[in-house]
Amino acid sequence: MCGIVGYVGRHNGVPVLLEGLQRLEYRGYDSAGVAVVNGDQLRVHKAEGRVRDLAEGLPKRVNGHVGIAHTRWATHGPPSDVNSHPHLDTEGNIAVVHNGILENAAALRAELEADGVTFTSDTDTEVLAHLIGRSTHEDLEDAVRDALAKVGGTYGLAVIDARQPDRIVVARNGSPVVLGIGNREMFVASDVAALVRHTQQVVLLDDGELATLTADGFTTSTLDRRPTQKETLELDADVSSYDKGGYDHFLRKEIADQPTAVEGTLRGRLDHRFATAHLGGIELTARELRGIRRVKILGCGSAYYSGIVGANIIESLARLPADAEPASEFRYRNPVIDPDTLYLAVSQSGETFDTLAAVQEVQRKGGRVLGVVNVVGSSIARACEGGVYIHAGPEISVASTKAFTSTAVAFALIALHIGRVRDLSPADGERLIGGLERLPEQLEEIMATEEHIARVAGRFSDATSAFFIGRVGGYPVALEGAQKLKEVSYVHAEAYPASELKHGPLALVTTDLPTVVVAPDDHLAAKNISAIEQIKARGGPVVAVGHRVLSELADDTLIVPKNEPELDPILLGVPLQLLAYHAALVLGRDVDQPRNLAKSVTVE
């Protein structure tokens, strides 16, 4: 993995490929490469580092009407020029770019080496290049089919052949592949972000499908040669959605986008007349909703933490047992799937491999699963029986901010929807609607305190570690706050329930270890104050996040406007996003592309 771009058409494809790679930089990567057919030869250029390093090293006159390009996030072999994609066969005719992991690559590599093949890289992808190059089929599409019949694992791939310079062959199994339709030109990418400048018409490949692209169009089929019919989708996005909008970083822009993103999540879904939420993607009758006995939320990383926020809201409003679990662990413990449980799969990209696999595990055992995703038409959205799009808009920075907040809002809508069918009173329904409608304005109020938050962030520039603690609704806020700090600043951070402070973590509190305490003015305020007192008694610096200044206790307080108790966690997390961002700036980090991380984790 991590990013694929391809072009076939009348124009020089190199600028298209480079621009596409730049638009995929947000996904996280360590090297980049490009291959184009020039005459009857492949021209291949690869470089460890950024896309700009690749572009600066390209010969001025390199060109070709057919080409593929890639940004790599290392899985097999360290980042290097040699391990960068594209990879070639022995004859130098075939070039392959690949996202995913080939699980039987080691065995295939051993077989090929025993047959005299010399490998030049450590990657699993090079196995594919040699398998395609050694196929007895002359047609590129058939040679790719032949190779894919031998491999196991996940792939999104694009292949070109210098001997057939009018086409690109692509295939998908577990890793996204999107075709873009132009005017006598075709595009391919792993993400629509690479395509929006050139086309608004796209086709999404399904797992087990292969496509051949020429300048005049495309054909699709299954791996066993059965033709498939594909629907053309119109993108609901424009180029400006993928720009920084005057900000220095996508991360800062997306934090600022949150009032608008929340409005997008709420738009058309609040019903004052019946004090409920209308969610067209949840096609469950009132009887089916009343028959739900439990809610299980599955997600990874920030999606999992938003799931904990959501489980708390659902349990509080709908009075259903609800919990969240990492999707990456769920399917490996042979879970018992209860037909009376509603499963919710959460993913910003809709392509998170572990979450998609969890969806398939639930469905395989007869369970019902709905999606809560941001990207329309994504794999998880299509795999689920229905669900809720969060409509937060494109999120480019690797660290999630607006998608986290909008997802939590979507869970509040789900809780309201289910709760009103069950026992939630109209008065409580209207109370929640009022709170949801206040969120955008309150988010703006938080943004206005950024200067103070930036000053507080300065203390983290000297810290090597930090604690984040909170109780009940504050605990997932602490989890996400710690996640943001370590993601973008590389300061080690851990989150604990505040109630667990005395059960181990307190031993590490010193004058050099700051603690961020999520301390809203709620029924647990006295207990949170007690936790602060215990930390201060040991000389630990404290930053409180809450509704009132705790100057007599905390060293600093990040003030958040008060909403309804169920919705307060949605607001409490936003100052921690700004705290992490400004700490990263002080430390000189690459906030949009943190090391070792990718935006969409499409492998295990």
Side-chain angles (χ1 to χ4, degrees):
M1 55 184 302
C2 186
I4 289 174
V5 186
Y7 173 82
V8 52
R10 298 167 294 162
H11 305 293
N12 178 17
V14 174
V16 176
L17 297 174
L18 291 176
E19 190 262 349
L21 291 184
Q22 289 168 345
R23 292 196 174 275
L24 296 182
E25 286 189 293
Y26 73 91
R27 295 170 66 95
Y29 68 102
D30 48 54
S31 57
V34 60
V36 293
V37 179
N38 186 280
D40 60 353
Q41 292 185 325
L42 282 178
R43 297 286 299 276
V44 181
H45 302 274
K46 308 194 287 187
E48 182 183 355
R50 297 303 188 191
V51 173
R52 63 175 175 269
D53 300 317
L54 171 67
E56 290 169 358
L58 285 178
K60 293 188 182 299
R61 295 186 179 179
V62 63
N63 62 77
H65 298 289
V66 176
I68 54 178
H70 191 265
T71 51
R72 177 180 186 253
W73 187 75
T75 56
H76 291 71
S80 68
D81 292 356
V82 170
N83 285 334
S84 304
H85 298 211
H87 290 286
L88 309 182
D89 71 326
T90 302
E91 303 300 324
N93 292 316
I94 303 290
V96 179
V97 294
H98 164 231
N99 287 346
I101 291 179
L102 305 182
E103 295 173 351
N104 61 338
L108 291 170
R109 186 185 186 103
E111 291 177 14
L112 289 165
E113 288 176 330
D115 206 22
V117 173
T118 300
F119 282 77
T120 60
S121 77
D122 302 315
T123 68
D124 55 343
T125 302
E126 191 181 353
V127 168
L128 266 175
H130 289 299
L131 288 176
I132 296 169
R134 291 167 65 85
S135 171
T136 57
H137 295 281
E138 293 185 2
D139 182 77
L140 180 59
E141 182 176 307
D142 287 335
V144 172
R145 290 183 198 279
D146 191 29
L148 292 180
K150 298 179 174 68
V151 304
T154 58
Y155 52 80
L157 60 89
V159 187
I160 56 176
D161 186 340
R163 297 162 299 183
Q164 300 174 56
D166 64 338
R167 65 194 60 198
I168 304 173
V169 175
V170 300
R172 169 191 170 136
N173 185 51
S175 192
V177 176
V178 184
L179 313 184
I181 302 171
N183 180 18
R184 294 188 62 191
E185 58 187 356
M186 287 290 297
F187 309 85
V188 64
S190 53
D191 189 305
V192 296
L195 305 179
V196 291
R197 183 179 177 86
H198 307 286
T199 181
Q200 293 293 303
Q201 293 187 307
V202 300
V203 169
L204 307 176
L205 282 196
D206 290 313
D207 283 350
E209 280 190 314
L210 179 147
T212 298
L213 287 62
T214 66
D216 295 322
F218 69 96
T219 60
T220 60
S221 58
T222 62
L223 293 179
D224 59 1
R225 293 179 172 79
R226 287 182 290 111
T228 58
Q229 299 298 316
K230 305 301 294 182
E231 179 185 1
T232 300
L233 304 177
E234 194 77 21
L235 289 178
D236 184 21
D238 56 43
V239 176
S240 64
S241 300
Y242 295 87
D243 291 334
K244 294 178 183 176
Y247 291 94
D248 291 334
H249 304 97
F250 282 111
L251 180 60
R252 180 62 188 85
K253 173 182 180 285
E254 287 157 12
I255 293 172
D257 279 349
Q258 288 176 110
T260 302
V262 168
E263 288 174 348
T265 306
L266 296 175
R267 188 171 295 118
R269 289 170 164 170
L270 297 177
D271 181 350
H272 283 277
R273 181 182 178 188
F274 294 104
T276 189
H278 288 303
L279 300 171
I282 298 182
E283 298 178 354
L284 299 177
T285 65
R287 180 176 182 177
E288 288 174 316
L289 290 172
R290 283 193 292 269
I292 296 170
R293 293 291 174 262
R294 178 178 292 275
V295 176
K296 166 76 76 173
I297 301 173
L298 303 169
C300 296
S302 291
Y304 163 53
Y305 301 147
S306 72
I308 302 176
V309 174
N312 289 338
I313 298 174
I314 291 169
E315 193 156 283
S316 176
L317 296 181
R319 302 309 300 153
L320 279 168
D323 68 308
E325 182 176 345
S328 51
E329 294 291 307
F330 173 77
R331 67 193 177 102
Y332 286 116
R333 61 175 181 79
N334 191 21
V336 175
I337 303 302
D338 182 353
D340 294 329
T341 295
L342 176 63
Y343 295 87
L344 299 173
V346 193
S347 170
Q348 186 283 135
S349 67
E351 302 294 347
T352 309
F353 181 83
D354 287 307
T355 306
L356 179 59
V359 169
Q360 294 165 344
E361 175 75 2
V362 172
Q363 293 173 332
R364 185 176 66 83
K365 293 182 174 180
R368 178 171 46 197
V369 57
L370 303 179
V372 182
V373 301
N374 191 33
V375 179
V376 175
S378 55
S379 296
I380 292 171
R382 288 183 289 157
C384 292
E385 302 166 37
V388 178
Y389 284 120
I390 67 172
H391 297 305
E395 189 176 66
I396 306 302
S397 183
V398 168
S400 180
T401 50
K402 66 177 180 178
F404 175 86
T405 300
S406 286
T407 300
V409 172
F411 280 125
L413 291 171
I414 292 169
L416 178 59
H417 180 72
I418 297 175
R420 287 291 292 123
V421 171
R422 296 171 63 85
D423 298 321
L424 187 69
S425 71
D428 272 335
E430 189 59 33
R431 175 178 64 84
L432 263 294
I433 288 176
L436 288 166
E437 290 178 328
R438 292 195 300 274
L439 285 175
E441 182 179 349
Q442 291 179 317
L443 287 165
E444 295 282 9
E445 291 180 42
I446 296 171
M447 302 303 164
T449 68
E450 181 175 6
E451 187 176 334
H452 170 64
I453 296 171
R455 287 196 299 270
V456 174
R459 77 169 64 252
F460 290 95
S461 61
D462 295 326
T464 58
S465 188
F467 277 161
F468 287 69
I469 62 173
R471 280 179 174 265
V472 189
Y475 175 52
V477 175
L479 284 167
E480 175 63 7
Q483 175 98 332
K484 284 292 150 286
L485 186 66
K486 59 193 168 193
E487 275 183 325
V488 300
S489 76
Y490 314 150
V491 173
H492 171 256
E494 290 189 61
Y496 290 92
S499 55
E500 289 291 297
L501 189 63
K502 294 185 291 295
H503 298 279
L506 201 58
L508 295 178
V509 171
T510 68
T511 57
D512 298 321
L513 190 146
T515 300
V516 177
V517 182
V518 182
D521 194 11
D522 60 10
H523 67 291
L524 295 171
K527 294 186 180 297
N528 283 321
I529 288 173
S530 175
I532 293 173
E533 289 172 333
Q534 293 171 52
I535 295 166
K536 295 300 293 181
R538 287 152 181 84
V542 171
V543 176
V545 184
H547 301 127
R548 58 190 174 94
V549 176
L550 299 174
S551 56
E552 71 281 7
L553 291 171
D555 297 276
D556 291 288
T557 305
L558 310 182
I559 297 295
V560 173
K562 188 164 179 54
N563 199 295
E564 301 303 322
E566 299 90 345
L567 304 180
D568 279 335
I570 296 171
L571 295 168
L572 288 163
V574 177
L576 302 186
Q577 298 171 354
L578 286 167
L579 190 75
Y581 172 74
H582 284 285
L585 289 187
V586 171
L587 292 166
R589 310 305 192 203
D590 186 347
V591 295
D592 282 333
Q593 297 165 34
R595 67 189 184 200
N596 304 331
L597 299 179
K599 180 66 176 175
S600 178
V601 182
T602 54
V603 296
E604 290 188 90

